[in-house]
Amino acid sequence: MGFSMLPKVLSQMFKKPWTNKFPAKYQPSNTTKYLKAVGAGEAKINPPIPTPPGFRGKIIYDKEKCTGCRLCIKVCPCEAIEYKEEDKKIKIYIGRCCFCSQCNDVCPTNCLSMGDEFLLADSDPYAKALIVE
Amino acid sequence: MKSKTTTKTTYNIPVGPIHPALKEPVFLEFEIDGERIVDVDVKLGHVHRAIEWASRKRNPIQILYLAERICGICSYCHPAAFALGIEAAADIEVPERAEYLRVIQAEIERITSHVLWAGVAAHEIGFDTVLFLTWEMREKMMDLTEFLCGNRVTKGILTIGGIRRDITKDMLPQITKSLDYFKDNFEKIRHIFLDDKTIKLRSQGVGILTKDDALKLCAVGPTTRASAIKKDVRIDTSYFAYGDLDIDYITPDILTGEVNGDVYDRIIQRLLEIKQSIDIIEQCLDKMPNGDLVSEPKIPKLLNQLKKVEGEGVGRHEAPRGEVIHYVKLTGEDAPFTWKVRAPTYNNILPWIPMLKGEQIADIPIIAASTDPCMSCTNRIGIIKDGNRYELRKEELYRLSVEKTRRLMR
């Protein structure tokens, strides 16, 4: 009986917060302005926790190696890959990608791999950063 | 609901479908006498997502990722049950090492889910400090999941005939570190949950599910084991590598010596299962043989092989919430002819009625949460015709069921 959580709470008061404050220690009043300032070198970004090895981030596509076999289109669960008839290459819409990396496994020439980029939020699903070709 | 003709007036109070205490849409209609619940009616069917229908134009490899999205928390057990069903239908033998790796993933998911549940249960009785403590622990397990699978939630680790990622020797220190963290902190979380006055006040003697009721209503998973019924798919019909492991039924009387079937027992049950899961993972890491990861590494070849299969298979897996059943029928086409999912919450909804009867209104959230419900997994039937929604009556449902059996027999 008793309040067994109390000692834990009291000790927690003197500990550092567990959360990594990313991208800044305090929420900036205007994120776009803040990011511009970071770009100009005026403000510093609080680095994110490094991704573990084997992380599934934005797909990296090696166009030279691709033979246009269309196997990745066959296994993609969310129809994120489009085939370009004229140059026999593929186009990946990251906005639809579910990061299962099944296309990486099936590719016979290993031209697809998972990168470690994870900041992929965008208001436009067809933004340039969200299309890999 | 039937209204009784008594001299005292009872009130009908609807709770849901969207209600802050329940998180997911479910509709409960209570008949209330003062503060006491006299009768309950549960209505489901608010989050039908047509997942089975969506499977009809996908091949089995694509369905694995669709199955993963049936439930966010059990994102491993649905593809596991589906893969077991396909493997049963196509007679695919899984390499031994892959079986052990599958067990490790399943147990990691169980720990993550049970710790999450512990936090949610604490939140439901207004003990948010414990919510943050348990979710800090859960974060360690999520990090381990990310380390092993590359994703935090939707793991994408399972494939038909094996598993996609190996655990190599240089990964072992990280895994043992995470497991040690859990073992060190387990005593703390056990102390908080089992000795704390606040939790005891709200959970002891509340929401009792007797052994008879649990048997009659076919409750599954921790809900039924907390009522002292020894039912666990991992042991009853062993699959993966569970047959080779030292594993036994867990019931709350191991710790307390008696079973009441109340919310407190369900807390004990889940905490004991976390401990058991850590033990199983360690056994797997010790016993794991060397060998292949998948039976057929070339996916196009596997798909062609599955295309020729004609047959049906049932996959049963002990998910964190109970037994999940997937039925698959292949008829020599790209997509399976039929795919049926039965999530464990489907069985654990009806036990709410005996649990809730006689309790107070304020006990609804904790009793509902104590079975760890997952509505979006459960909803499988919804009929919309001419823009209107119809409810299926028993006779109609029976007729449809008979028709489906005939259709499948053909």
Side-chain angles (χ1 to χ4, degrees):
Chain A
M1 274 298 199
F3 298 103
S4 51
M5 191 67 199
L6 212 55
K8 176 88 189 164
V9 173
L10 290 174
S11 69
Q12 190 68 40
M13 282 169 72
F14 302 101
K15 278 187 192 161
K16 263 177 85 178
W18 205 70
T19 320
N20 178 39
K21 306 274 186 187
F22 173 77
K25 197 174 177 190
Y26 299 105
Q27 171 78 39
S29 55
N30 188 329
T31 316
T32 336
K33 261 188 196 166
Y34 172 73
L35 289 177
K36 262 184 198 161
V38 170
E42 286 160 16
K44 234 182 164 184
I45 210 161
N46 207 0
I49 292 171
T51 54
F55 180 75
R56 296 179 188 177
K58 187 179 166 183
I59 295 178
I60 298 166
Y61 175 45
D62 187 348
K63 204 174 171 182
E64 300 306 311
K65 274 193 199 167
C66 182
T67 54
C69 65
R70 290 191 243 187
L71 279 176
C72 48
I73 298 172
K74 203 178 164 192
V75 295
C76 182
C78 39
E79 294 165 13
I81 308 174
E82 193 182 71
Y83 187 66
K84 292 194 289 186
E85 283 291 344
E86 61 273 20
D87 50 356
K88 294 201 169 62
K89 301 283 168 188
I90 57 163
K91 190 177 184 181
I92 306 161
Y93 294 92
I94 302 293
R96 288 196 72 122
C97 178
C98 73
F99 304 98
C100 66
S101 84
Q102 191 70 56
C103 51
N104 298 197
D105 285 11
V106 81
C107 186
T109 58
N110 292 325
C111 67
L112 291 163
S113 60
M114 293 317 249
D116 54 4
E117 200 185 330
F118 60 89
L119 293 170
L120 299 167
D122 206 310
S123 53
D124 176 19
Y126 301 106
K128 218 178 169 191
L130 293 186
I131 292 178
V132 177
E133 57 181 332
Chain B
M1 194 192 293
K2 278 179 212 162
S3 56
K4 283 174 201 153
T5 46
T6 47
T7 46
K8 234 181 181 180
T9 330
T10 55
Y11 294 91
N12 281 5
I13 294 187
V15 174
I18 307 294
H19 192 271
L22 300 168
K23 309 262 181 332
E24 285 183 275
V26 58
F27 181 69
L28 298 160
E29 201 177 0
F30 291 98
E31 193 182 334
I32 288 184
D33 176 17
E35 182 75 8
R36 213 169 51 84
I37 297 165
V38 180
D39 205 357
V40 200
D41 197 2
V42 186
K43 278 183 184 166
L44 291 169
H46 302 279
V47 267
H48 185 68
R49 292 173 299 167
I51 282 195
E52 284 158 6
W53 178 84
S55 78
R56 289 189 190 170
K57 52 174 186 174
R58 284 168 163 82
N59 61 42
I61 289 284
Q62 289 172 317
I63 295 177
L64 278 178
Y65 302 100
L66 189 67
E68 216 163 52
R69 278 150 186 85
I70 290 176
C71 178
I73 304 164
C74 327
S75 61
Y76 177 79
C77 61
H78 283 287
F82 175 73
L84 280 168
I86 288 273
E87 280 154 18
D91 281 334
I92 295 171
E93 201 161 308
V94 181
E96 212 182 335
R97 187 178 174 81
E99 299 271 40
Y100 277 89
L101 288 167
R102 281 177 167 192
V103 170
I104 293 176
Q105 295 293 344
E107 295 308 319
I108 286 177
E109 187 188 74
R110 195 179 317 279
I111 296 172
T112 321
S113 174
H114 282 351
V115 176
L116 175 135
W117 175 85
V120 170
H123 167 76
E124 297 290 8
I125 57 171
F127 204 165
D128 278 326
T129 335
V130 178
L131 169 83
F132 288 110
L133 179 79
T134 49
W135 282 42
E136 182 195 327
M137 288 174 72
R138 177 174 178 262
E139 201 56 37
K140 287 274 175 204
M141 227 52 202
M142 299 295 273
D143 284 348
L144 182 63
T145 314
E146 192 181 17
F147 177 69
L148 293 178
C149 312
N151 276 352
R152 268 165 59 90
V153 178
T154 42
K155 302 178 181 73
I157 186 90
L158 205 99
T159 191
I160 293 161
I163 201 151
R164 290 173 61 194
R165 286 195 182 183
D166 195 7
I167 292 177
T168 48
K169 272 219 174 81
D170 52 313
M171 286 163 114
L172 287 177
Q174 176 82 23
I175 300 171
T176 33
K177 209 177 115 193
S178 297
L179 290 181
D180 284 346
Y181 171 85
F182 249 80
K183 271 193 266 174
D184 294 347
N185 281 269
F186 182 79
E187 187 48 38
K188 242 183 245 170
I189 193 173
R190 192 202 64 80
H191 176 58
I192 285 164
F193 267 99
L194 301 188
D195 304 334
D196 199 280
K197 205 175 167 183
T198 323
I199 289 175
K200 270 191 173 172
L201 275 174
R202 287 302 305 278
S203 61
Q204 269 181 339
V206 172
I208 293 172
L209 180 69
T210 55
K211 194 173 177 177
D212 279 354
D213 279 339
L215 271 174
K216 265 187 226 155
L217 297 167
C218 295
V220 288
T223 313
T224 189
R225 286 197 290 274
S227 300
I229 295 170
K230 293 188 172 172
K231 191 153 109 181
D232 192 327
V233 192
R234 291 177 289 176
I235 305 156
D236 297 338
T237 53
S238 181
Y239 57 100
F240 291 170
Y242 284 117
D244 302 345
L245 301 169
D246 178 24
I247 164 176
D248 200 9
Y249 299 102
I250 294 254
T251 41
D253 53 332
I254 294 171
L255 194 75
T256 54
E258 53 171 358
V259 179
N260 302 316
D262 55 3
V263 175
Y264 189 65
D265 272 0
R266 288 193 276 279
I267 295 175
I268 298 173
Q269 172 69 28
R270 287 199 170 84
L271 291 179
L272 289 173
E273 281 186 22
I274 294 175
K275 212 171 183 184
Q276 187 194 31
S277 291
I278 296 172
D279 181 47
I280 291 173
I281 295 173
E282 281 179 338
Q283 283 185 44
C284 281
L285 291 173
D286 278 349
K287 286 184 184 171
M288 209 159 47
N290 287 324
D292 289 338
L293 288 187
V294 275
S295 59
E296 177 53 70
K298 287 192 180 115
I299 295 158
K301 207 174 161 189
L302 175 77
L303 281 175
N304 276 336
Q305 190 190 330
L306 290 176
K307 226 175 177 180
K308 286 172 203 147
V309 174
E310 281 188 34
E312 51 191 354
V314 176
R316 296 168 73 199
H317 173 63
E318 180 75 18
R321 287 164 179 73
E323 180 187 7
V324 49
I325 300 176
H326 281 225
Y327 168 81
V328 200
K329 183 173 179 177
L330 300 167
T331 49
E333 275 169 46
D334 249 349
F337 180 71
T338 192
W339 173 42
K340 173 82 193 124
V341 180
R342 204 231 54 204
T345 307
Y346 188 76
N347 290 32
N348 285 343
I349 290 283
L350 283 179
W352 282 8
I353 296 168
M355 277 183 211
L356 284 166
K357 270 185 196 170
E359 301 295 343
Q360 293 188 342
I361 301 175
D363 291 324
I364 297 169
I366 181 66
I367 291 173
S370 74
T371 64
D372 206 356
C374 194
M375 297 308 155
S376 357
C377 318
T378 304
N379 277 215
R380 296 269 85 90
I381 292 182
I383 291 190
I384 292 167
K385 202 175 177 185
D386 314 325
N388 292 320
R389 204 191 157 100
Y390 292 91
E391 223 173 289
L392 276 180
R393 287 177 192 288
K394 193 186 153 207
E395 297 82 31
E396 270 178 275
L397 208 57
Y398 176 70
R399 185 179 55 78
L400 282 174
S401 168
V402 172
E403 271 176 18
K404 186 164 182 179
T405 318
R406 299 245 164 86
R407 200 169 67 235
L408 293 177
M409 296 276 277
R410 247 187 276 148

